[in-house]
């Protein structure tokens, strides 16, 4: 302290802090720390002065000391006006410390806090995303109700920010605003709904957290995002993973049917394959592919280093997976037991619950639950619990041997718990009941009282289950009686005496005699049992015990405890016949000496399974605030199609428009590619083979480690499209769903067949033929490429080897080749996908298709419409953009429509068959608008069609690419005028 | 999620508090103190304590309780894992995580906690990102700061948070490019009285210290990857590659990190490197007990067993021990009854032993259990499971790094029952 005093005398807080920052904890350092924390009014005064000074460094020192005060829990709110002035400081550290202060005290100093708001509002518009984010963070942390509207506005704006980091912050802010003013719920839900659609992994965890906090019951908001969340999961940061997984667990329980079939229980020990067979035979249960997707995508997370993630996956499997698949989580859970003590505690609790229902899951890992003398007591008890749960005929001898060591433990509470456990094993496994009983009797001569007492209690329970031939044990206990002082144990012995008094006719009265002597000195619980014993003996052996009984009853009558007085009175009336006693007297014997059901020794974790595993509620075994019940499986699965993702292109080539894939391709990243492949296998039967090949091809290229990370379809802004498009989309996906069922993989009825072009005829190709088509999907390899699918068929009679792409022209042509096909058998065909950058021109891409022996020059000439990507926009945006592309950029023609093409559907169909554009919803019936962008340069291409009288129409195309415009105009004209 | 955090020292004082939502009065900790009183040992305080309005979730590290206050349902492991992450970060920043270190660096602690949680939800827990935001205090920097008035807070913005590899900071530069990997295996075992193994497992970790310029992409392959039964990875490891080829492929974080922890499949027999001959007896009636312990190497593949430390919790009745070690030193604490013997290196020619008598409380009955013996040891240059790194390659950068791999075997929870 002397040093600190010295520092203080100098009046240099600077010096104090300086020393306080030394990382070496020297004595002067500690002393200075005391100086740092000492608070008297004078010090606060000089803090004020320092804050108001012009020197940045002084201000900083002052703030550091103030933060020290806050950390200590000391009040420094009177400095608020002085601190808040520095909110706009240029010094980052100073600013941050002011933020800390502000967030801490704003609630108490609401009026003054308002002074800082304008600074944040300004920062919210800063070009730097981190400054925007940090402003929003602090603004939303200031718990001042007046600024709710400002916060609301800021959140809404931030939710639409271009930076995912800012959007993440806005998701956090939602929860803060909600807790400040729950009335904003509806508006906040809208923001949540919007953010749920976000494709950034950064946002996903935070927004789901907000969802859980604000509107956990709005399951309907999840539908459309379900698949996306599943696929993003691996790449989300670990804390977000935990939240998403637990939310998806709840979701899945409401949306899918139970995968738990009856026969699973019986065949549990059989091998998996057998079981599967049986399962399919017994029940036509087919798992929803979405259900499978969730299980598949969470599985790799069992390898996470974060114990919370592992636990949440384990609980997901426990609650959602078919019974035979749950076992995969065992190993990971056991691994967690190596972690910190607190982690062990929670994991063991969960294993305890699991092991009651599923012994087999943990039995192979039994030894991991052996107790070490260094374990904390609650860990020991939990391990014991689990070992007891795992005990069966086969392993009981090992377990009992282990228990023998535990009984001798120096930790007596643990030894007592072990005795309980032995008792449970003895009742559960009849083969070892006698062995256990003998062991417990031996323990009766143990020196430790708690051990003996516990043994007595357990023996009592065991004897009750098998009352025959145990008079020896009872006699033995009677002998020990004098040495046992634990009330519960004494009471238990007395009860046993009374219950089986007919088996020990000589000893029981003697015990009663001894008890009569010590009655007044006994504990209440023992007294009750003495009265009990007396009554029972009176009924069976009244000759010897009549007087004793009366003596005891008299003692009991004047006992201090009313329970005992009551009991005595009741017993007296019951057993001693007199004129007042009614009919009950006759039945006294049957009442008191009725055979009693044996107690069932159960696990304390028996009823824990009513709570979702891994939750706080499960851990404390009572419902925690905010606990969300896990619903039972629905008997009939709700409509699956609700999860179909809204497609960006209203119409696409059917063979490529398998809805789930659409979403996949955009979110694929290195780590999820494999899962993606998994998923594709599960639903392979619903899709075209061609498509599968694409997937394989894709994952192949990914294995090189530098595979294509698909662009998170940045080119396609989120759908703000009108309701009309939405309904169209829905009907589209519905029809797709219908197709899936029919397993047809070509053509939708509404949009005409795929145009397939010939690349190489089998005559010129010496047996190798190739066709190609444009799948109209965003290209996986590079966004500026057009995706092309090539179907290679071997029509020769020998197999072709090493099919690959050779030289290309023009020289600079950027092609993403497919991987070399090692071998193509006769009659076999394979579909591969390529990406070609046409640079927005219809110039043909020439290249050589090579086999081992031959080379064939081929060329792909794209139709102009294939060089486009659909773009989603509203009618307003469309007109706005159109306004910018007038004059030179506008090409138009009046055409005469074919009579068949006058309905709006037919028009869409014709236009879309020519060009890969998106429909823009229109408020006018005679106006049709379509929007797209060129693939390579991303230039807008707007097509509008105005219907006039008598089947004439004005076709207008607005784009910078005038060459393309005229070509497109020609193609469209042809399509629309044709019948 | 996490409402507030209180740091409580061994003597039950709250020396730091931090609130992320509205302020929770520190009186909530009274429930914690109650539980602390009930528990006989500091470790016995239950990690989850329900109170009428809050839930307290605590971890105990370095004799400091980190008590988190929770108001509604949240997976308890989530909080526990986070608290441990906080401790790890403090340790990383200050070298030690003691009360003194925290008090000395209270501003940095506060800045860290501010960045790690937003509204109770973890924001930045990756050490690389945090170090970009807040510079760890060093003596040099503290001095420079006071002279120039510059700060600990990084001027840079946490761009790492946005990158595809959030665990690695950008713009790393070193003059000497080095990558060290330590394969450390721990044997957990329980040996029974007669010397036979009741249970034995090997757990291993690969800790790395990577100081490489730029964005190196490393691959690490093993001679015998089949040994690894259950693994958990640092997020940087490409899981898919591991699944397919059993190769660890990753862009490493900068600095120290744990790349992998693994469990060796239980089918493999575990070689136990030491044996213990013991004879501990208490005679009924006499106030003396005999203590006789000899250690010896076993299955060490010719490597020396070093840093051997034997400890044992003797029965309560033992008043004192009068022992004679053939090497090393021993201590006996009459209060805690903890006997520990620092053996050092085991010389196979001359086995270390500890012999002597224990004096018992007069009149006390003979303890009914012999104490179990905990052993710690180290064996350098050997991974007991036989795991071997095959090669380490670097892609993506042009320079040639210096690579080093070290093996070590340690005792984990190695216990001998007597």
């Amino acid at each position: 302290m002397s040093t600190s005093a010295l520092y203080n005398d100098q009046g240099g807080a600077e010096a104090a802090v300086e020393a306080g920052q030394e990382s070496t904890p020297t004595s002067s350092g500690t002393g200075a720390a005391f100086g740092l924390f000492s608070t008297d009014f004078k010090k606060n005064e000089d803090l004020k002065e320092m804050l108001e000074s012009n020197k940045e460094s002084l201000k900083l020192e002052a703030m550091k000391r103030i933060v020290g005060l806050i950390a200590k829990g000391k009040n420094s709110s009177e400095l608020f006006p002085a601190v808040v002035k520095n909110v706009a400081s240029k010094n980052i550290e100073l600013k941050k410390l002011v933020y800390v202060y502000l967030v801490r005290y704003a609630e108490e100093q609401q009026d003054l806090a308002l002074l800082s708001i304008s600074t944040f509002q300004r920062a919210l518009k800063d070009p730097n995303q981190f400054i925007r984010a940090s402003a929003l963070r602090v603004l939303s942390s200031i718990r001042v109700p007046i600024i709710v509207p400002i916060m609301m506005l800021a959140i809404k704006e931030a939710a639409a920010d271009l930076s995912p980091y800012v959007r993440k912050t806005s998701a956090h802010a939602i929860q803060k605003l909600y807790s400040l003013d729950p009335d904003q719920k509806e508006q906040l839900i809208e923001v949540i709904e919007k953010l749920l659609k976000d494709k950034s992994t950064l946002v996903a965890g935070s927004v789901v957290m907000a969802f859980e906090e604000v509107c956990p019951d709005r399951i309907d908001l999840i539908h459309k995002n379900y698949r996306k969340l599943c696929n993003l999961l691996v790449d989300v940061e670990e804390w977000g993973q935990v939240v998403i997984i637990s939310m998806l667990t709840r979701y899945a329980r409401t949306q899918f049917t139970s995968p738990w079939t009856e026969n699973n229980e019986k065949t549990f020990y059989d091998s998996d394959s057998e079981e599967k067979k049986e399962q399919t035979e017994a029940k036509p249960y087919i798992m929803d592919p979405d259900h499978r997707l969730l299980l598949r995508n969470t599985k790799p997370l069992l390898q996470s280093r974060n114990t919370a993630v592992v636990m949440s996956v384990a609980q997901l499997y426990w609650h959602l997976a078919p019974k035979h698949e749950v076992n995969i989580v065992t190993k990971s859970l056991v691994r967690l037991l190596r972690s910190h003590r607190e982690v062990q505690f929670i994991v063991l609790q969960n294993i305890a619950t699991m092991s009651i229902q599923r012994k087999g899951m943990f039995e192979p890992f039994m030894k991991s639950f052996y107790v070490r003398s260094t374990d904390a007591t609650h860990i020991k008890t939990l391990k014991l619990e689990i070992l007891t749960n795992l005990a069966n005929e086969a392993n009981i001898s090992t377990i009992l041997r282990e228990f023998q060591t535990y009984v001798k433990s120096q930790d007596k509470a643990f030894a007592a718990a072990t005795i309980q456990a032995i008792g449970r094993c003895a009742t559960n496994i009849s083969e070892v009941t006698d062995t256990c009983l003998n062991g417990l009797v031996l323990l009766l001569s143990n020196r430790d009282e708690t051990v003996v007492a516990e043994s007595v209690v357990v023996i009592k329970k065991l004897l009750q289950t098998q009352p025959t031939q145990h008079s020896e044990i009872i006699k033995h206990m009677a002998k020990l009686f004098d040495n046992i002082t634990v009330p519960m144990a004494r009471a238990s012995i007395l009860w046993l005496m009374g219950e089986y008094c007919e088996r020990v006719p000589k000893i029981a009265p003697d015990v009663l005699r001894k008890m009569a002597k010590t009655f007044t000195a006994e504990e209440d619980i023992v007294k009750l049992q003495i009265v009990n014993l007396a009554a029972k003996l009176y009924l069976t052996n009244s000759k010897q015990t009549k007087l004793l009984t009366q003596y005891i009853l008299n003692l009991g009558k004047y006992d201090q405890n009313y329970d005992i007085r009551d009991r005595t009175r009741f017993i007296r009336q019951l057993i001693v016949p007199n004129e007042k006693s009614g009919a009950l007297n006759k039945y006294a014997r049957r009442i008191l000496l009725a055979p009693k059901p044996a107690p069932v020794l159960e696990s304390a974790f028996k009823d824990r399974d009513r709570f979702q595993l891994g939750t706080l509620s499960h851990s404390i075994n009572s419902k925690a605030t905010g606990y969300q019940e896990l619903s039972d499986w629905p008997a009939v699965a709700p409509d699956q199609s609700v999860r179909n993702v809204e497609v960006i292109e209203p119409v696409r080539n059917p063979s490529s428009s398998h809805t789930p894939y659409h979403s996949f391709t955009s979110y694929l990243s290195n780590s999820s590619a494999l899962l993606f492949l998994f998923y594709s296998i599960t639903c392979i039967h619903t899709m075209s083979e061609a498509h599968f090949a694409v997937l394989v091809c894709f994952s192949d290229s990914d294995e090189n480690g530098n595979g294509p990370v698909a662009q998170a379809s940045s080119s396609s802004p989120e759908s703000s499209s009108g309701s009309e498009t939405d309904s169209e989309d829905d009907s589209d996906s519905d029809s797709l769903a219908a197709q899936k069922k029919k397993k047809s993989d070509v053509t939708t009825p509404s949009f005409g067949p795929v145009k397939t072009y010939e690349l190489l005829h089998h005559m010129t190709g010496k047996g190798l033929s190739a066709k190609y088509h444009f799948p109209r999907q965003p290209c996986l390899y590079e966004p500026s490429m057009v995706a092309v699918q090539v179907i290679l068929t071997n029509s020769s009679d020998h197999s072709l080897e090493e099919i690959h792409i050779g030289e290309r022209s023009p020289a600079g042509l950027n092609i993403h080749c497919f991987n070399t096909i090692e071998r193509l058998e006769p009659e076999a065909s394979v579909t591969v996908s390529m990406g070609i950058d046409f640079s927005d021109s219809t110039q043909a891409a020439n290249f050589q298709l090579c086999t081992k022996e031959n080379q064939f020059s081929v060329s792909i000439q794209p139709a102009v419409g294939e060089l486009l990507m659909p773009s989603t926009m509203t009618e307003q945006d469309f007109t706005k953009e159109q306004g910018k592309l007038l004059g030179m950029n506008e090409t138009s023609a009046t055409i005469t429509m074919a009579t068949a093409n006058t309905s709006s559907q037919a028009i869409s169909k014709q236009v879309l068959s020519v060009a890969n554009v998106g429909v823009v919803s229109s408020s006018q019936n005679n106006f049709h608008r379509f929007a797209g962008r060129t693939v390579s340069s991303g230039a807008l291409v707007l097509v509008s069609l105005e219907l006039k009288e008598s089947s004439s129409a004005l076709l207008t195309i607005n784009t910078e690419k005038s060459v393309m415009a005229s070509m497109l105009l020609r193609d469209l004209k042809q399509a629309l005028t044709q019948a | 999620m996490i409402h507030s955090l209180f740091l409580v020292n061994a003597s039950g004082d709250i020396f730091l508090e931090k609130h992320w939502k509205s302020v929770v009065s520190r009186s909530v900790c009274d429930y914690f103190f109650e539980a602390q009183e009930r528990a006989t040992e500091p470790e016995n305080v239950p990690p989850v304590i329900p109170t009428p309005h809050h839930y307290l979730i605590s971890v105990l590290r370095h004799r400091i309780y980190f008590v988190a206050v929770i108001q509604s349902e949240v997976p308890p492991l989530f909080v526990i894992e986070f608290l441990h992450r906080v401790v790890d970060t403090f340790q990383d920043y200050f070298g030690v995580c003691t009360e003194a270190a925290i008090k000395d660096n209270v501003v940095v602690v506060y800045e860290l906690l501010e960045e790690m949680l937003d509204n109770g939800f973890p924001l930045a827990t990756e050490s690389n990102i945090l170090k970009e935001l807040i510079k760890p205090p060093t003596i040099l920097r503290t001095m420079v700061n006071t002279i120039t008035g510059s700060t600990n807070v990084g001027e840079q913005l946490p761009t790492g948070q946005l990158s595809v590899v959030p665990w690695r900071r950008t713009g790393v530069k070193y003059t000497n490019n080095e990558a060290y990997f330590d394969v450390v295996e721990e044997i957990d075992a329980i040996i029974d009285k007669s010397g036979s193994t009741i249970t034995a497992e090997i757990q291993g970790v690969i800790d790395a210290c990577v100081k490489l310029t730029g964005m190196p992409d490393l691959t690490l392959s093993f001679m015998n990857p089949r040994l690894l039964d259950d693994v958990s990875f640092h997020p940087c490891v490409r899981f898919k590659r591991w699944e397919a080829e059993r190769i660890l492929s990753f862009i490493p974080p900068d600095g120290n990190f744990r790349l992998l922890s693994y469990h060796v499949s239980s089918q493999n027999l575990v070689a136990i490197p030491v044996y213990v001959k013991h004879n501990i007896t208490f005679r009924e009636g006499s106030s003396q007990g005999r203590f006789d312990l000899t250690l010896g190497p076993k299955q060490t593949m010719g490597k020396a067993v070093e840093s051997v430390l034997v400890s044992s919790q003797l029965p309560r009745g033992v008043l004192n021990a009068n022992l004679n070690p053939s090497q090393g030193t021993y201590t006996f604490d009459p209060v805690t009854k903890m006997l520990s013997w620092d053996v050092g290196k085991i010389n196979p020619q001359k086995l270390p032993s500890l012999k002597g008598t224990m004096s018992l409380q007069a009149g006390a009955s003979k303890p009914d259990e012999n104490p179990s013996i905990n052993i710690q040891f180290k064996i350098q240059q050997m991974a007991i499971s036989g795991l071997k790194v095959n090669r380490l390659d670097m892609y993506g950068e042009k320079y040639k790094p210096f690579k080093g791999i070290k093996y070590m075997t340690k005792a984990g929870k190695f216990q001998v029952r007597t």
Side-chain angles (χ1 to χ4, degrees), chain B residues 18-36:
Chain B
K18 168 98 181 98
H19 308 274
W20 283 274
K21 302 184 182 186
S22 49
V23 179
V24 177
S25 156
R26 54 165 68 191
S27 63
V28 75
C29 288
D30 292 349
Y31 294 99
F32 179 79
F33 296 137
E34 240 172 68
Q36 202 182 3

Side-chain angles (χ1 to χ4, degrees), chain A residues 18 20-23 25 29 33 36-37 60 64 67-68 70-73 91-93 96-97 100 104 107 128-130 137 143 165 168 172 175-176 202 205-206 209 213 237-240 242-243 300 303-308 311 331-332 335 337-338 340-347 367-368 370-374 376-378 402 405-406 408-410 412 446-447 614-617 619-620 623-627 670 674 699 702-703, chain B residues 1 15-17 19-23 26 43-48 50 55 57-61 71-78 80-82 84-85 100 103-107 110-111 114-115 117-119 121-123 125-126 139 142 146 151-155 157-159 161-162 186 188-190 193 198-199 201 203 229-235 238-240 284 313-316 365-369 371-372 374 413 415 417:
Chain A
E18 216 176 291
Q21 281 198 334
E22 294 276 345
S23 58
L36 186 68
F37 292 126
L60 191 57
K64 282 184 175 172
V67 166
I70 295 175
K72 260 284 181 186
N91 181 320
I92 294 185
E93 184 166 25
K96 281 198 171 170
L97 295 178
V100 168
R104 169 68 181 75
E107 212 170 358
N128 186 316
Q129 47 176 333
F130 292 102
R137 227 184 115 185
R143 287 169 295 274
Y165 188 68
K168 181 189 179 76
H172 286 233
Q175 305 164 47
K176 299 181 207 168
L202 219 52
S206 303
M209 189 61 226
E213 206 113 305
E237 38 85 40
E238 41 197 356
W239 310 107
V242 179
V243 178
Q303 253 65 49
S304 171
R305 64 165 173 175
N306 187 317
T307 57
M311 187 65 230
K331 235 185 237 174
S332 308
R335 185 186 71 228
L337 296 181
R338 287 270 307 162
H340 298 285
R341 179 183 66 93
E342 297 84 8
V343 174
Q344 279 184 43
F345 176 72
I346 304 290
V347 174
K367 288 189 173 171
S368 306
Y370 280 6
V371 175
R372 292 185 159 78
S373 59
T374 41
T377 307
H378 52 255
E402 189 64 19
T405 340
Y406 302 165
K408 284 187 254 159
S409 164
Q410 290 175 32
K412 291 305 164 197
N446 194 295
R447 257 189 315 272
T615 57
L616 180 62
S617 305
S619 186
I620 57 175
K623 205 166 160 178
T625 336
Y627 174 73
N670 272 355
L674 188 74
S699 66
D702 195 41
E703 237 152 26
Chain B
M1 293 202 136
F15 65 94
L16 188 126
E17 63 179 68
H19 308 274
W20 283 274
K21 302 184 182 186
S22 49
V23 179
R26 54 165 68 191
E43 290 85 34
N44 285 351
V45 179
V48 183
Y55 305 93
I57 299 185
S58 62
V59 306
L60 172 67
R61 291 268 298 266
Q71 219 159 24
S72 60
E73 175 63 55
V74 56
L77 267 187
F78 185 99
I80 289 171
E81 176 81 25
F82 176 79
H84 281 299
R85 210 58 80 76
K103 276 183 173 172
D104 286 351
N105 295 294
V106 71
V107 174
Y110 241 66
E111 284 167 351
E114 190 69 30
E115 291 301 333
L117 280 184
D118 181 14
N119 194 36
F121 189 78
L123 195 62
T125 49
E126 212 52 70
I139 296 174
T142 320
T146 40
T151 64
N152 277 332
V153 174
E155 298 286 331
L157 293 156
T159 39
Q161 256 163 319
L162 298 178
E186 291 193 1
D188 284 359
I190 302 179
K193 242 182 210 163
I198 293 181
T199 151
E201 307 178 303
Q203 316 278 348
D229 182 34
D230 183 47
V231 281
S232 76
F233 300 118
H234 188 275
R238 297 186 179 101
F239 181 70
K240 206 191 106 195
E284 195 69 62
Q313 171 87 47
L314 296 186
R316 242 164 289 160
S365 52
K366 161 180 175 280
D368 38 33
E369 191 198 28
S372 55
N374 295 305
K413 295 173 185 161
Q415 193 163 80
R417 291 176 179 164

Side-chain angles (χ1 to χ4, degrees), chain B residues 3-7 16-18 20 66-69 83 113:
Chain B
H3 219 96
S4 302
L5 176 70
F6 293 97
L7 266 55
L16 188 126
E17 63 179 68
K18 168 98 181 98
W20 283 274
F66 291 74
V67 186
V69 182
L83 292 177
L113 290 175

